[in-house]
Every structure is written in C-alpha cells, then in structure tokens.
Amino acid sequence: MGGGARSLDLALPPEAVELEESVRRFCERRLGKDVNARRDMPFSWELWAEMAALGLLEMAGTDMEQAQLFACIGAEQLGYHGFPGPVAQSIAAAAAGLADWDAVAAGERLATVGAGTTVAWAALADDIVLITPAGLCSGIAGAAIDTLGRSAVAEVGAGAALPGDAHTVRARFDMALAAYTGGAGRFLVDIAADHARTRRQFGKALGEFQAVAFPLAEALMRLDGAQQLARAAALAIDAARADAADLAAAARLSASRAALRAAFAAHQTFGAYGVMEEGPVGWLSRRIQEYAVLEPSVRGIRQTLPLQGAAVLDPELWPVVEET
Amino acid sequence: MQLAYSSAERAFLAEVRAFLAPWRGLGQYLQGRDHAGLRAFYKALGVKNWLSLGWPVDHGGRGLPPIYEFLLWDEMAHARIARPPLSAGIVAKTIIRYGTDAQKARWLEPIRTGELMFSLGYSEPEAGSDLASLRTRAELGPEGYRINGTKIWSSSAQDSDYLWLLCRTGEVASRAAGLSLLIVDLRAPGLRIRPMAKMSGNVFCELFFDDVIVPVDQRIGPQDGAWKMMNASLADERHVQFPPKRVLADYETVRDWAMAHGLDRDPVVRERLAELAVDVLECQAHALRVLTAQGDDVRASIAAAANKRASTDTIQAIARAAMDFGIPAALTTAAPIEQLWRQTLEESLGGGTTEIMTSIIARQGLGLKA
C-alpha cells in the first residue's frame, strides 16, 4: 500500500504562503490595521499600481504552475483587507485577450469584468470585458450609477468581440470573487469576534452568550468550507479540469452566502454601532451584497449549476500527483 | 496543496468497491435492525483484516494511515451498507493505547475478526451532553466492581455482546476526574435492557444496573482516568465520524427522486437543489480538512466539529427540502423521502449535538467562551 504518489494535502505551497504574507503586509502598511482607516479608503490609482507591483495580476495572466491558486490566495488577502478596486475582476480579465493586458497587469490601466448592463468598477475602468452567451466582448461605459456597494458601477453597452475564452474568464471570475468575498467575510467575523470578546454586558463578555457566539461560529464554519472550495476551484482551473467552471461557480455561491451570513452576524454583534455609516461593518457588507447581485449573479449560479456536480471535489476525480 | 488520492489509495478504493458489490443490498446504514446480517458483514470485513486497518501491525492491524479507514467507511456510507462498529474503533483503539497485555490478548483478536459487538454506555437520564455529571456508580469490592444506576440512549445494546461503560468510581463532586471505563457483559445478572423504538426505525436501549458485578480486569486504563482516554478515542475516530458520501447519497436520493417526478423543471425547486449541491460540496471540503488536520489537535478538533455540524445541517436540509417541494409522493413509505426526514432528525444529536459542535467552533475557532 506504499505507493509513489502524494496523498491529500491542503497546506499551501511555501511560495503561496510567501505571497499571502507579502499581500497581508502590504495591505496593513497601506490600508492600516485600523478598520476605520480601511473603511474610508477610496479607490486610488497610486494604491492600485502599488498592489499590481506585487505581481499578483501579472501572475494571473501566465501559465505558471498553480498560477490561479496564487491568484486565489492573493484575492483572499485583498478581500480580507477590503482592498478597493476590481481585484477579482482583473484576475478574470487576464484571460480575456485584452490588447493592453501588460499595462493592466502593471496597474497602469484598469480592467473589469461583468455581464448584463451594469458592471462594477466600469465607471473607472479603461477596459471592460462583458461575458455574453455568444462569447466575450468589450463594454462601453455609460452613466455611472450610485449603488449599495459603492463599487463604481456604470451602465454598459456591448462593443467589439474579444478573443478570449468566455468559459475561462467566467471560471476565473467566479473563483477570484469567491476568494475575495470569502476573505471579506472572514474579516467581518474576526472583528465581530474581537468585539464579542471585549465588550461586556450583563456582567460578562458578549461572546459568552451563545446567542451572540453561535451565529459567528456558524459563519466561520461556512467561510472555512467556502475557502476550501475556492482554492479547489483555482487548482481545478490550473489543472484544466473540464468541470473547473462548475466548481468555481459552486465556490462563489458558497462564499457569497457565507460572507453575507458573516456580515449580518457582524452587524448584529456590534449593535447600534454596527449600523452606523462610520461603523466597522457596513462599508464591506455593502460590497459583499453588491457582488452577489451584479451579473453574472449568484442567483444565476443557482439557476444553472449542474445538479450532477455535487461530487466535483471528490479526490478520486483529481489527477494523481507523483512524489517529487 | 493537492486534492487527489494517491495511486495506492485508489487501488484500495477499487478493492473496497469490488468487495462491497455483493453487500450493497444489506442496507444497514440508515437502519441497523438486521443484526444477523450486520454480524455476518463485520465478520467478512474481519476476514479481510479491514476492521483493523489503522491498528498497529503488532496488534494484528494493517498499520495504515487514517485515510484508509476513511475510504472504507465513506464508500460504505455511500452504498448505505453499514456504519463502523464501535468495537473496532473506540473500544479497540482505547485498549491498544491503555489496556494491559492480558486485556489486549483477550479482546483485540475477537474484535479484529468481527466476533464481538459492543454498545456504548455513556448517557444517563440526567446526564446527556454533560457526561461529567453522570451518576451510575461502580463500587470496588472483593468480587470486582458492583454497578448500580441507569444508562440510556445506547444503540443496539439488545443485540450486542458487551457494553463500553462510562461510570463513576470517584465522588460525584469529582466530575470528570472520577470516571472509569468498564467492559460489561450484556448478559450479566442484574442487568436489564429495555429497547425503545426511535422515529428512524432504529432502537435505543435503556439499561438498568442492579448490583451488576464486573471483574476488575475488565476496567480499561486507570480507575478515575476515563476522561483523558475518552478524549483520545474521540480524536482517533474523527476521520470516520461523519463521512461526506453519506451526505452525497442523501442529496443524490432527493435529486433523483425530484427529477423522476419532474420537479426540477420548477425554477424554485431547481434553485434549491443547486443550493443543496453546494452544501454537499462544503461538507466534502470539511471532511478533507479533517483528514489533513491529523496531528494538529486544535485544528482537527475545529475541523471535525465543523464537519459534523455542516453534515447534519445539510442532510436535514436535504430531507426537509424534499418535503417543501410539496407533493404527496414524498410522504409514502414506499419512497425514500419520508425515511430521510425521520432518520436525519437523530444525526444532530448522536456523537455530539449540534450545540456542542457549534460551541467547540466558537471556543476553539474564535476564542469565544460560549
């Protein structure tokens, strides 16, 4: 029973851990550890270019081994810190065949991806990629729209066809958005748990009340599951599995509902402070909700996810990895 | 990071499937009432030396990593054949870790071959999740331990050979520090067993101890030292506690039933099935976390609690969704739906309640003392 192949291993490769750490350090340095600083941080070209200099977007556009896993880990961290801008959308745009992709990867141009007629970050983007039933096309930005999530949404019309593969772009979009959204949800659980450990009412910490602790624990459980699905989806894309898009879509649905669960638990845990404009939750819960609704939407996933796909994570379906 | 079984693990899985093929009709996973059939099946597993896959080689086992036991029982759960016997899991692994040489010689071989069946005697009428408050007393005298008290919610005690009894040997105030583990012959004089029907069709037993005598050499580990042993045995069994393919099997049952009735053409039903498919995937993700967290006790504990909580939530959601789809065919006992509705109720209680699992996640995952 020895065998020459590796068994299951969820540990990230050392290079991915290094990337995760460097993105975390960058976010803490530039966005601050204090949630209030992050909340007030708008999109800025300077900040975006600095993020791009970490090499994350460039890597997402390569065929490097496990490139999408690295993109996924980076998106998790950027989501955790609520980094402003089209993070997941840019990772997806890497497969769209944009003429100026190198400039996008360098943070000199801004790209976004969406579907339908309202697209996040389209009001700021230089390149808009629309996923349509017929394939990819460029989008032409119209009027900006004020929205719940404040993610620079604009009306968009269809332009010229793009050469990239819509299926691939969609898979990366769902995977990266799952990672970003899941990371954002985890941040909200962490700050709410921190509040519940320190805020005292009725003579004890809020977190000693199961009515407070359990919704946060349930959100954590859901987020942990979603994180594994997003990372698995990234690996499936890297391995060019035929069902990678299904796993990515499932991961996005999982992450979206887990993050919303986390957001609503956090709103409640913080009490009245949790519903204030200057409170620690709303700036990010708005974005999580907005990303779930904008097309390609989470509702669309519920309508199209293959019902036979509940086993796509089965380790038997993955190619054997030989010991190196 | 990689999510594939190794080639050796795949070969074992193929062997498991081939072995299970003639047993697929046994159907004792959801209902374990065919005790003769189960005994025959466990003996067949014993012949393969598959009840002792994870035991050390020098105790008659195969010395394989936990993933092999997982593969066996996950496949078994998918085929609804049977659950892991308590004897080869908690009982044998505790004896291996804490038993004397004489106890190992006496108990391990008949367990390994599937000859002996055990039932669990932990809960009491006044001690459910709070086991440290249990009161069934074992007094040490010249003839051995004299046991008085009542145990309840013991599965299959009416058909088993021995009881794995958790009892009080210290003062009541000693809580967890005054508990011991004894092996009790279920035919011993003074022991009365009252079977009680569960909604699932399975049986719980209540056991009444009236001066039941247990030889001292049937105490496993030190007197008053049960708590540490129980925690160790729980850790030993995390990887087989709730197999993800049980959840998948429930989903496939309801999905196929809904499709056979054309319900998936209803967009509301379709969206609900997609949500459930993602729930199933999350359970698989949790199971992978349990499998890969071996050796890191805190991480494994959180992962196992999440796996149990998510899995039981999901199977109940699956069964209840089928009822929500709203056709009378769901109610007929000829279809599998109503059985799932009944059976899944008990899964969030046995092996640690949903509330205990959530508390573990809150405490160990978030540092909240709930």
Side-chain angles (χ1 to χ4, degrees):
Chain A
M1 294 281 178
R6 290 169 58 201
S7 188
L8 298 167
D9 182 6
L10 295 187
L12 293 173
E15 300 84 356
V17 174
E18 202 175 300
L19 172 74
E20 185 179 36
E21 271 301 295
S22 70
V23 175
R24 184 185 62 75
R25 284 195 302 270
F26 163 73
C27 288
E28 287 181 356
R29 177 168 53 81
R30 291 296 280 115
L31 301 177
K33 288 185 180 178
D34 179 11
V35 64
N36 296 313
R38 288 188 212 172
R39 182 194 62 218
D40 297 329
M41 186 70 72
F43 174 84
S44 95
W45 281 101
E46 183 188 353
L47 192 60
W48 187 259
E50 286 183 46
M51 184 276 290
L54 296 173
L56 183 66
L57 300 182
E58 184 184 1
M59 196 171 355
T62 69
D63 292 330
M64 192 184 86
E65 190 180 355
Q66 298 199 328
Q68 296 310 308
L69 177 64
F70 282 76
C72 177
I73 299 306
E76 275 179 22
Q77 274 299 310
L78 291 168
Y80 186 86
H81 293 86
F83 191 86
V87 172
Q89 294 85 345
S90 297
I91 290 169
L98 293 173
D100 289 320
W101 169 250
D102 288 347
V104 174
E108 294 158 6
R109 289 175 67 84
L110 197 66
T112 190
V113 174
T117 57
T118 47
V119 175
W121 305 106
L124 298 173
D126 303 293
D127 297 294
I128 301 170
V129 178
L130 285 181
I131 303 169
T132 77
L136 297 179
C137 68
S138 61
I140 301 161
I145 309 168
D146 286 337
T147 57
L148 173 73
R150 298 167 176 160
S151 53
V153 173
E155 292 178 358
V156 173
L162 288 169
D165 175 47
H167 194 68
T168 304
V169 170
R170 175 62 194 272
R172 292 187 187 190
F173 178 85
D174 284 336
M175 175 277 293
L177 211 50
Y180 184 93
T181 308
R186 180 59 200 253
F187 171 74
L188 293 179
V189 165
D190 283 354
I191 60 169
D194 187 48
H195 181 70
R197 282 191 297 269
T198 51
R199 165 87 168 159
R200 296 179 70 82
Q201 292 285 279
F202 302 105
K204 57 183 180 180
L206 279 184
E208 293 183 39
F209 295 97
Q210 292 187 344
V212 174
F214 279 17
L216 295 173
E218 288 157 2
L220 175 66
M221 175 186 82
R222 296 277 184 174
L223 288 165
D224 281 345
Q227 182 188 55
Q228 292 307 324
L229 292 186
R231 291 179 179 185
L235 281 183
I237 296 168
D238 282 325
R241 268 182 58 167
D243 54 5
D246 297 338
L247 189 46
R252 182 162 163 230
L253 173 51
S254 173
S256 179
R257 64 190 188 181
L260 283 170
R261 185 185 281 259
F264 296 136
H267 275 298
Q268 188 69 16
T269 302
F270 277 101
Y273 189 42
V275 297
M276 301 301 290
E277 275 295 350
E278 67 272 25
V281 183
W283 66 285
L284 202 49
S285 71
R286 287 165 171 268
R287 196 178 303 163
I288 292 167
Q289 181 67 78
E290 183 150 296
Y291 280 177
V293 172
L294 286 173
E295 292 186 56
S297 70
V298 166
R299 169 119 201 263
I301 292 171
R302 287 197 295 264
Q303 292 167 334
T304 56
L305 188 72
L307 299 182
Q308 309 294 334
V312 290
L313 197 56
D314 188 338
E316 213 180 349
L317 301 177
W318 296 79
V320 173
V321 178
E322 296 300 329
E323 199 73 74
T324 52
Chain B
M1 179 179 178
Q2 72 92 13
L3 297 170
Y5 291 140
S6 71
S7 36
E9 290 157 2
R10 282 166 206 248
F12 177 70
L13 194 50
E15 192 182 352
V16 166
R17 287 188 181 136
F19 169 79
L20 292 181
W23 293 96
R24 286 186 182 269
L26 188 62
Q28 294 300 299
Y29 190 93
L30 297 179
Q31 284 193 344
R33 291 189 299 190
D34 176 8
H35 210 73
L38 270 175
R39 278 191 185 256
F41 177 65
Y42 289 142
K43 283 179 184 172
L45 284 174
V47 170
K48 296 283 290 181
N49 213 1
W50 280 359
L51 290 175
S52 52
L53 287 169
W55 301 9
V57 172
D58 54 2
H59 289 99
R62 301 278 294 272
L64 291 168
I67 194 167
Y68 286 87
E69 288 183 335
F70 170 83
L71 289 169
L72 175 67
W73 294 106
D74 196 37
E75 201 59 27
M76 209 89 77
H78 196 226
R80 311 271 207 214
I81 294 173
R83 297 181 189 232
L86 192 70
S87 52
I90 286 176
V91 173
K93 289 174 184 175
T94 304
I95 291 172
I96 288 168
R97 186 173 278 141
Y98 298 104
T100 63
D101 288 344
Q103 288 171 331
K104 291 173 186 171
R106 176 178 175 188
W107 298 106
L108 292 180
E109 183 61 11
I111 290 175
R112 187 188 69 76
T113 56
E115 297 289 328
L116 287 187
M117 302 300 298
F118 278 70
S119 181
L120 194 69
Y122 283 4
S123 297
E124 296 183 0
E126 300 301 325
S129 293
D130 180 18
L131 281 179
S133 69
L134 66 81
R135 292 188 291 200
T136 292
R137 182 136 202 97
E139 296 282 359
L140 186 56
E143 72 279 63
Y145 286 100
R146 180 178 296 272
I147 303 170
N148 285 285
T150 306
K151 288 287 173 182
I152 199 166
W153 318 136
S154 295
S155 295
S156 303
Q158 81 285 4
D159 292 317
S160 296
D161 305 300
Y162 289 93
L163 186 73
W164 185 247
L165 177 73
L166 182 66
C167 56
R168 183 158 301 286
T169 40
E171 297 303 314
V172 174
S174 62
R175 298 271 300 168
L179 302 176
S180 299
L181 280 167
L182 303 181
I183 293 177
V184 181
D185 188 335
L186 283 165
R187 294 151 302 182
L191 175 56
R192 185 165 64 88
I193 301 173
R194 184 171 78 93
M196 300 174 287
K198 291 196 274 188
M199 285 177 69
S200 61
N202 288 319
V203 170
F204 266 151
C205 291
E206 190 169 17
L207 298 99
F208 303 95
F209 295 83
D210 183 10
D211 287 335
V212 174
I213 302 297
V214 175
V216 176
D217 66 1
Q218 288 180 208
R219 187 195 71 227
I220 305 299
Q223 180 163 306
D224 298 335
W227 201 254
K228 180 183 167 192
M229 295 191 289
M230 285 171 56
N231 286 332
S233 68
L234 281 177
D236 280 339
E237 294 299 283
R238 281 178 184 138
H239 58 292
V240 290
Q241 189 189 20
F242 213 102
K245 282 191 179 169
R246 151 70 204 267
V247 186
L248 179 63
D250 284 23
Y251 170 76
E252 289 170 340
T253 298
V254 168
R255 178 200 63 200
D256 294 349
W257 173 85
M259 292 173 91
H261 286 83
L263 299 174
D264 57 312
R265 292 195 291 271
D266 177 335
V268 174
V269 171
R270 204 252 177 255
E271 288 191 30
R272 188 85 173 267
L273 286 170
E275 291 269 7
L276 292 171
V278 173
D279 290 339
V280 174
L281 284 167
E282 287 175 4
C283 294
Q284 291 177 333
H286 287 302
L288 294 180
R289 292 175 66 229
V290 175
L291 272 176
T292 54
Q294 303 284 337
D296 179 340
D297 200 49
V298 172
R299 205 157 60 90
S301 174
I302 297 169
N307 183 52
K308 171 74 168 39
R309 169 73 205 265
S311 298
T312 52
D313 279 2
T314 300
I315 58 170
Q316 290 177 351
I318 289 168
R320 294 166 193 180
M323 289 293 178
D324 285 349
F325 296 163
I327 61 169
L331 302 174
T332 173
T333 54
I337 305 303
E338 67 86 31
Q339 186 195 16
L340 288 181
W341 187 92
R342 287 183 286 114
Q343 198 279 333
T344 54
L345 293 169
E346 69 189 49
E347 298 287 12
S348 52
L349 298 169
T353 65
T354 285
E355 289 73 18
I356 294 291
M357 297 300 115
T358 312
S359 187
I360 290 170
I361 299 166
R363 284 171 175 266
Q364 299 187 14
L366 293 172
L368 302 176
K369 296 174 183 169

